[in-house]
Amino acid sequence: MEFYDLNKQYLTIKKRFLTRLAHIQEESEYILGSDVKRFEEDFARYCGVQFAVGVNSGTDALFLSLKSLDVKAGDEVIVPTFTFIATSFAVTMTGATPIFVDIDEKTFTIDVGRIQEHITKKTRAVIPVHLFGLCANMKDIALLARKNNLYLIEDAAQAHGARIGDKKAGSFGSCGCFSFYPTKNLSAFGDGGLITTNSKKLYRILSALRDCGRSTKRYLHHRLGYNSRLDNVQAACLRLKLKKLDTWNKIRIRNAKLYACHLKGLHNIILPTIPDGHTHVFHAYSILTKKRSALINEFKNYKIPYSIFYQVPLHLQKANANLGYHRGNFPISERVAQEIISLPIHPALSEKEISKVAEVIKKVHHD
Ligand SMILES: *Cc1c(COP(=O)(O)O)cnc(C)c1O
């Protein structure tokens, strides 16, 4: 059993991908290129937004979104403390200060009730993270952002296809930021990322920012820019996989249901919550247990792969020490970091493998 199914996933597109690679080589269409343009259109349509800008990673998607909104030194940006570190690094890279907020213990997403107390005159934006494939509480966050005149940027790096009602992740904010890192629900043949937006103005700015500040005319640069282009090989891979994303997500959801059937009623264990109206796409299936080290020992005995997302909340990461936080600042995130463990959930798992994982969990949590 493996934690990810990258090889099996690749085999489903291999033939068409290799044909497309040959075409890219013949046309010498390596950077940006027609696959990028078509993938941007496909992905924008998929998310129900007007524009998409391919970039070279999820981290850059966040960074360039902040730059496009002119977030800079002296500004503050609100982010959850329980997420992948790129969410806060993107803010730091602009010169602005990340302001951490605790999470809701049921959904693992930012605790909306705790945002207001962190808003100051310097606050410019809020970045909710759709962690593990579940959208944050976007209705309340959008209201709060509007009331306080804050930009709303979604970190949707783990939430391709996640929804609230019919509205997809990436369609709620000024910008939606996606990563196509190889382990994400939709993944490239290397690094990749993308920004969704409904603003033509932001679309234009983002298109220039990712490409050395280039204007539509060659070698005319109206602004400082970066080299953050999505290359054509990645886009060709992504276009092929996007067609399969909904099927893959459905299997992840089915796998999550199987786990829930096996594990419901067990004491000392908390299963993922899905709020009403939300479609969780289970980038990760993360449970809480007070017996994590015993469970890890048994997982090792039975050769069951697992992962810990995340051992250390961002306010306690060494790299963020200069921000001045300490243990005790965000008790929920700190407890979750001690108790969380993620089970294999990828679409290539068999029902038998899922029962095997569940049996080991039951063994540890029988009383
Ligand atoms: C993966 C991820 C990122 C960063 O994406 P990269 O493509 O690795 O730069 C940002 N935020 C979250 C929540 C992620 O999971």
Side-chain angles (χ1 to χ4, degrees):
M1 203 184 315
E2 287 179 289
F3 196 75
Y4 296 113
D5 64 339
L6 299 187
N7 248 322
K8 286 187 182 134
Q9 209 185 89
Y10 175 66
L11 292 177
T12 69
I13 62 154
K14 181 175 172 188
K15 217 171 142 220
R16 278 173 298 160
F17 180 59
L18 291 178
T19 309
R20 199 62 213 157
L21 270 189
H23 178 84
I24 291 169
Q25 184 266 318
E26 280 155 20
E27 301 289 320
S28 294
E29 219 191 16
Y30 296 106
I31 301 297
L32 295 175
S34 61
D35 293 273
V36 173
K37 198 159 177 4
R38 284 155 81 188
F39 175 64
E40 288 171 341
E41 287 163 8
D42 292 350
F43 199 75
R45 195 173 318 115
Y46 180 81
C47 292
V49 299
Q50 279 186 279
F51 307 103
V53 182
V55 295
N56 71 9
S57 68
T59 306
D60 269 18
L62 289 161
F63 169 66
L64 296 177
S65 294
L66 290 160
K67 293 299 286 185
S68 75
L69 295 163
D70 199 29
V71 170
K72 54 184 180 300
D75 295 337
E76 294 177 353
V77 177
I78 288 175
V79 299
T81 184
F82 193 75
T83 168
F84 180 62
I85 199 149
T87 317
S88 81
F89 278 177
V91 176
T92 307
M93 281 156 61
T94 66
T97 307
I99 301 295
F100 294 119
V101 170
D102 213 344
I103 53 162
D104 172 78
E105 63 183 326
K106 287 217 166 74
T107 61
F108 307 130
T109 57
I110 194 166
D111 183 346
V112 188
R114 297 228 162 244
I115 295 178
Q116 187 77 51
E117 67 201 69
H118 295 278
I119 294 175
T120 71
K121 276 201 202 99
K122 295 179 179 171
T123 314
R124 292 289 309 283
V126 54
I127 310 182
V129 179
H130 306 319
L131 201 70
F132 302 148
L134 178 71
C135 284
N137 177 350
M138 295 312 290
K139 189 165 155 251
D140 291 351
I141 296 172
L143 273 175
L144 203 112
R146 202 167 314 132
K147 195 178 108 202
N148 292 281
N149 210 13
L150 306 180
Y151 294 121
L152 178 54
I153 299 172
E154 300 170 67
D155 183 338
Q158 302 186 1
H160 321 73
R163 300 195 305 267
I164 304 176
D166 287 335
K167 215 167 150 48
K168 290 242 175 75
S171 70
F172 294 94
S174 295
C175 296
C177 302
F178 291 86
S179 163
F180 305 119
Y181 184 81
T183 60
K184 311 284 175 167
N185 287 29
L186 178 63
S187 69
F189 202 65
D191 271 314
L194 178 142
I195 304 151
T196 50
T197 183
N198 277 313
S199 155
K200 188 155 200 182
K201 183 177 164 208
L202 289 180
Y203 170 70
R204 287 209 179 114
I205 297 174
L206 288 164
S207 302
L209 281 174
R210 74 166 170 193
D211 195 17
C212 291
R214 212 174 295 239
S215 70
T216 43
K217 288 216 180 77
R218 274 208 154 199
Y219 304 113
L220 284 181
H221 305 261
H222 299 320
R223 58 166 65 242
L224 176 65
Y226 304 86
N227 178 350
S228 183
R229 299 172 291 243
L230 182 67
D231 70 68
N232 223 20
V233 171
Q234 306 312 330
C237 174
L238 287 162
R239 282 196 77 216
L240 293 170
K241 286 190 183 176
L242 179 58
K243 297 190 176 66
K244 298 171 185 288
L245 176 61
D246 282 343
T247 307
W248 288 338
N249 278 346
K250 275 185 195 140
I251 304 173
R252 285 173 182 273
I253 292 167
R254 185 211 61 184
N255 289 348
K257 281 190 183 138
L258 288 172
Y259 275 130
C261 276
H262 285 297
L263 300 175
K264 68 170 184 274
L266 279 187
H267 292 299
N268 310 319
I269 202 163
I270 295 174
L271 304 180
T273 300
I274 309 172
D276 278 351
H278 284 243
T279 302
H280 193 321
V281 292
F282 291 99
H283 171 64
Y285 189 90
S286 305
I287 62 174
L288 298 181
T289 168
K290 305 249 185 233
K291 298 185 168 179
R292 187 169 73 181
S293 39
L295 182 59
I296 288 174
N297 279 336
E298 286 305 297
F299 276 170
K300 284 183 178 152
N301 281 341
Y302 288 89
K303 298 201 167 28
I304 288 174
Y306 64 90
S307 208
I308 310 268
F309 310 124
Y310 296 96
Q311 313 247 15
V312 179
L314 302 195
H315 69 285
L316 300 178
Q317 294 277 1
K318 249 193 207 139
N320 282 331
N322 61 317
L323 297 173
Y325 292 91
H326 50 79
R327 196 165 288 283
N329 284 148
F330 303 109
I332 292 171
S333 296
E334 290 170 24
R335 181 169 55 77
V336 166
Q338 301 288 316
E339 298 181 0
I340 202 158
I341 183 164
S342 301
L343 314 179
I345 187 76
H346 63 76
L349 283 175
S350 67
E351 288 193 27
K352 220 169 166 182
E353 287 171 321
I354 291 173
S355 339
K356 186 177 165 194
V357 179
E359 285 313 311
V360 176
I361 298 172
K362 283 186 198 166
K363 189 164 174 266
V364 177
H365 296 84
H366 51 79
D367 47 339

